[in-house]
């Protein structure tokens, strides 16, 4: 029998406890041994009571778990960077294998965690830290390991995807839908981490590290949230054949990694365009496999527990076969980062301009002077005197686009530059 | 260094050779050792020459590979059941680990293969045998291992998906599109295995065995192909909000497994409905994870090589960690099969009937007498005297539906029962 301790018994911890009970026999047969939770560290006794945990199972202190040599797996499900990270490091130093769902911790302190796991010859698994129940970490480390990964493109945050889906289907504005999402419990009372793109950026840092075999931390990811997205942008994007999604993207060009999170226009026939509501999906382009996509629930009690328990079973197999630390950190390279100014993509820009002859030529002239060539221009009358102009550029360097916008905003015929959104997923799919 | 022999150097074998060269250093770092192809068994010397294989690498006989104790991995990429199966069994008996892309062999002789692998303590990997480059075997055995799988639903054959996509977008008939697919090389000159559903059935047998932990062979799968699908059915399905896809489905009910391949009507907003052309996708419903879908290229030189090389790398890790046979056969149960007559689903039926008052009542009466209740009836005028009638039933037992059809076909007001197609993917998604 393999003994497990849970750190934290909230939503995910409770799910893991339930799943190990519910599918006990099935899991025993797959792991080759019984996997049993013997200790739980949780200050909130009401959570333990709700699960019907016997008192003897509740640890008085973390020390009690660390010093119990019979416990070989620690599942850290508290979240947050500290004290979780210190506890995980201590567990490893005590020879315990660790499973975690903690994206914040890995995205900030991944290197230290992997180094410590390696030094102590223990397993460190984290499938649940990205995209909840969707298998993506293990497939990238195993089935797809023969590929040089060229791009990772993901919808990694359910809250923002729910908000953008509602804005699209109902034509509502951001703040309206956010309030509704908060009422329904899909968004937190402080929604910053979600709507600001930070949550997606942490998950992207983890995925990009694996994809490019080079450590990417949260601080290396360029981040914009969805708060500037307007119902109008979504409507016009639709008319032009696009949907707006908060995308987490990392690719490698000329040896450098560019990782970023921002709302983007995605062609309506792109596989990710159909990923709606709270669903997540990860799209990976490999040099051999071409394009693949994994889709499912990116959060929630049981989907997240599915990934945690899958990891526990795999650690159990390693224990049975004396092959712990079989797959460790895969960041054997140290690649430079490319700044967002070097991004080359297409852009959608919405401006309000004076409605008179010659203005379009003036705008096109500024873009042309900055090496920005235009693919599509769509005009709507805003008021009698003003026009709303939507422009889609050809492939452009971000630095050139920004320069054009900074010149345009001072032109007397430009009232305002209302938004600019990058286009993604345009390159011919393989 | 880990030495590998390839059996067969056609499309997939060539791809594996190229990929191991192309990403040599990356793969060495991931596997912890160099992985090198040292022998190739291939009668057609022109294939070897096209890859630039040195003569010394070409085996004179299979015996030469079997007796080479330095070769630890055999990649069987010839296809077909014999002599491939005998060669794989012999390789295992000589202590060699095996990777294969051979669905026919596993779907027919899986049990013997897994038993032999287990007896000899060797790895037997087969990610490429189902859905080409899409990671699905390993995720089901690892990341999703904590789930009791409830259903597997896949688009597993690229040729038929290409044909149905073209029939949908162009309104053409089956035979027309098949001829075009044959010209383009997307369909073989003898298309039976693809259009008859046999290829998908073999892949489903493999997936279902893993999903339900109970051996499912090709002969256990109920199979219908797409040859009876008419451009009209696709058109009417579209009007009713469905697309037609060749689905491979396996689920477990009351302890019994029902595995089947047939064309089905799928709601247009189902994630699988957007899987077009030669793409494949596998949709899995687990009791914890809910619904997930993996999408990508189900065939082709490099996508298939991606899966084969992923397997080789994983076997290499097992060799490095002395943990071969770490994950073996997971068919520890022996579940009964349910016959197609016990299927309970909704049905679409297209009939040509006499266009006169009372006929609809007569038809509804026959259905009602057989416990078939109707959800939707759509009528089109065919000629002055005839009407075309499309019926969608509520959930119905297949046996009841078949009885109703056998009574209807003898009614004087029914000219012909032109088609009946099952509906799938209707159950509320989780």
């Amino acid at each position: 029998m393999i003994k497990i301790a849970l750190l934290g018994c909230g939503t995910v911890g409770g799910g893991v406890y339930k799943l190990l009970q519910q599918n006990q026999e099935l899991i025993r047969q797959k792991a080759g041994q019984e996997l049993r939770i013997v200790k739980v560290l949780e200050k909130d006794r009401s959570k333990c009571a709700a699960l019907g945990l016997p008192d003897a199972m509740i640890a008085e202190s973390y020390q009690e778990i660390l010093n119990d040599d019979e416990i070989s797996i620690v599942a850290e499900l508290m979240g947050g960077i500290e004290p979780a990270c210190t506890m995980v490091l201590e567990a490893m130093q005590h020879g315990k294998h660790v499973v975690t769902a903690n994206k914040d911790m890995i995205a900030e302190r991944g290197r230290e965690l992997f180094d410590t796991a390696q030094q102590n010859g223990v397993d460190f698994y984290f499938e649940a830290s990205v995209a909840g129940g969707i298998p993506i970490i293990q497939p990238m480390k195993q089935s797809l390991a023969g590929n040089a990964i060229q791009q990772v493109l993901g919808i990694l945050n359910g809250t923002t995807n729910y908000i953008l889906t509602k804005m699209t289907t109902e034509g509502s504005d951001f703040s309206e839908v956010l309030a509704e999402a908060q009422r329904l419990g899909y968004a937190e009372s402080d929604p910053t981490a979600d709507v600001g793109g930070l949550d997606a950026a942490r998950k992207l840092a983890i995925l990009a590290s694996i994809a490019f075999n080079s450590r990417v931390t949260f601080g290396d990811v360029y981040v914009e949230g969805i708060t500037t997205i307007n119902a109008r942008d979504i409507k016009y994007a639709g008319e032009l054949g696009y949907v707006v999604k908060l995308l987490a993207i990392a690719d490698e060009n000329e040896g450098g990694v560019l990782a970023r999170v921002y709302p983007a226009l995605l062609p309506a026939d792109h596989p990710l365009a159909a990923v709606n509501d709270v669903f997540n999906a990860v799209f990976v382009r490999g040099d051999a496999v071409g394009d693949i996509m994994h889709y499912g629930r990116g959060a929630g009690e049981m989907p997240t527990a599915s990934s945690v328990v899958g990891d526990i079973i795999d650690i159990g197999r390693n224990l049975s076969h004396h092959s712990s630390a079989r797959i460790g950190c895969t960041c054997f390279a140290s690649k430079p980062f490319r700044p967002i100014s070097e991004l080359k993509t297409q852009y959608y820009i919405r401006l309000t301009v004076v409605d008179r002859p010659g203005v379009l030529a003036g705008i096109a002239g500024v873009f042309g002077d900055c090496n920005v060539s235009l693919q599509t221009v769509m005009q709507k009358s805003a008021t009698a005197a003003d026009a709303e102009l939507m422009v889609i550029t050809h492939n452009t360097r971000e630095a050139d686009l920004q320069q054009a916008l900074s010149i345009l905003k001072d032109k007397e015929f430009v009232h305002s530059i209302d938004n600019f959104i990058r286009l993604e997923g345009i390159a011919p799919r393989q």
Side-chain angles (χ1 to χ4, degrees), chain A:
Chain A
M1 180 176 58
I2 295 169
K3 294 187 176 177
I4 304 160
L6 293 191
L7 310 186
C9 208
T11 306
V12 179
V16 169
Y17 183 78
K18 285 186 224 167
L19 186 54
L20 281 171
Q21 287 208 314
Q22 177 178 318
N23 293 341
Q24 195 171 19
E25 178 53 18
L26 189 68
I27 290 169
R28 189 193 61 72
Q29 288 177 296
K30 289 187 188 175
Q33 299 188 56
E34 188 187 345
L35 298 169
R36 191 189 293 174
I37 294 170
V38 294
K39 284 282 171 200
V40 172
L41 186 71
E42 173 60 64
K43 276 188 211 152
D44 184 344
R45 291 296 171 111
S46 68
K47 289 181 183 168
C48 303
L51 284 171
L53 298 185
D55 278 353
M57 212 191 248
I58 303 167
E60 292 298 325
S61 69
Y62 186 45
Q63 223 52 42
E64 189 183 328
I65 290 169
L66 275 184
N67 293 334
D68 186 338
D69 289 338
E70 293 200 338
I71 292 172
S72 43
I73 303 177
V74 169
E76 184 282 303
L77 306 166
M78 305 185 294
I81 293 176
E82 284 298 354
C85 193
T86 299
M87 287 184 176
V88 164
L89 293 170
E90 285 178 351
M92 291 173 174
Q93 284 151 0
H94 280 73
K96 299 187 194 309
H97 308 282
V98 174
V99 180
T100 181
N102 191 327
K103 58 189 175 301
D104 306 39
M105 177 178 83
I106 304 175
E108 298 268 9
R109 294 176 65 182
R111 194 183 305 268
E112 189 182 351
L113 288 160
F114 286 105
D115 285 352
T116 306
Q118 198 186 341
Q119 282 153 18
N120 293 281
V122 297
D123 275 324
F124 179 54
Y125 275 59
F126 51 100
E127 183 66 70
S129 67
V130 178
I134 304 173
I136 188 66
I137 307 282
Q138 225 169 37
M140 283 176 73
K141 290 202 170 200
Q142 296 186 254
S143 306
L144 300 172
N147 289 265
I149 303 294
Q150 296 163 334
Q151 191 181 49
V152 176
L153 193 67
I155 294 175
L156 298 179
N157 180 272
T159 304
T160 47
N161 204 45
Y162 172 84
I163 292 173
L164 290 173
T165 301
K166 283 280 163 193
M167 288 175 71
T168 305
T169 53
E170 293 172 5
S172 338
D173 256 316
F174 172 75
S175 53
E176 208 174 304
V177 180
L178 173 61
E180 188 200 336
Q182 285 171 321
R183 267 198 311 277
L184 291 169
Y186 289 165
E188 302 194 36
S189 53
D190 176 0
T192 321
D194 291 320
V195 303
L198 312 179
D199 173 80
R202 291 188 181 107
K203 294 166 180 168
L204 180 66
I206 298 171
L207 281 185
S209 299
I210 299 168
F212 305 114
N213 306 297
S214 181
R215 178 70 44 207
V216 179
T217 66
F218 173 57
D220 302 319
V221 181
Y222 175 84
V223 191
E224 289 177 19
I226 64 164
T227 50
T228 58
I229 298 297
N230 195 292
R232 240 182 199 152
D233 294 314
I234 291 180
K235 180 171 169 285
Y236 298 152
E239 291 173 17
L240 293 161
Y242 300 92
V243 296
V244 179
K245 293 286 180 190
L246 181 68
L247 294 182
I249 312 159
D251 45 27
E252 186 179 341
N253 275 305
E254 296 158 25
V257 172
L258 177 46
R260 67 271 190 192
V261 170
Y262 44 60
L265 264 58
L266 198 66
D269 65 350
H270 191 285
L272 283 176
V275 176
N276 288 322
D277 300 319
V278 296
F279 281 87
N280 279 201
V282 183
F283 190 88
V284 176
R285 177 169 294 166
D287 63 346
V289 77
D291 290 344
I292 65 150
M293 183 178 83
H294 289 195
Y295 162 97
R297 291 208 167 264
E301 181 189 29
M302 298 314 284
T304 311
S306 165
S307 286
V308 172
V309 172
D311 281 353
I312 290 176
I313 293 172
D314 219 50
I315 293 177
R317 287 173 176 143
N318 281 345
L319 286 167
S320 300
H321 286 84
H322 309 288
S323 59
S324 296
R326 188 175 159 278
I327 302 181
C329 181
T330 46
C331 291
F332 33 75
S334 183
K335 297 178 181 167
F337 293 103
R338 295 169 62 233
I340 191 75
S341 59
E342 284 184 20
L343 178 70
K344 217 172 165 182
T345 192
Q346 292 182 259
Y347 295 82
Y348 155 101
I349 303 128
R350 176 162 60 87
L351 335 87
T352 307
V353 299
V354 178
D355 194 4
R356 68 162 191 250
V359 164
L360 191 55
I363 288 168
V366 172
F367 277 123
D369 290 346
C370 296
N371 291 313
V372 180
S373 85
L374 306 185
Q375 184 198 69
T376 308
V377 177
M378 180 167 90
Q379 182 173 328
K380 304 255 176 189
S381 286
T383 67
D386 295 345
E388 201 170 30
L389 213 60
M390 273 62 63
V391 166
I392 289 184
T393 73
H394 281 292
N395 255 337
T396 298
R397 238 169 41 100
E398 173 106 5
D400 291 336
L401 192 272
Q402 295 291 359
Q403 201 203 344
L405 295 185
S406 74
I407 294 170
L408 278 173
K409 78 173 165 37
D410 295 331
K411 292 286 179 193
E412 54 79 31
F413 50 82
V414 173
H415 284 321
S416 56
I417 294 170
D418 302 313
N419 216 343
F420 89 106
I421 310 178
R422 299 168 188 91
L423 271 65
E424 292 287 347
I426 314 284
R429 291 202 289 286
Q430 293 161 2

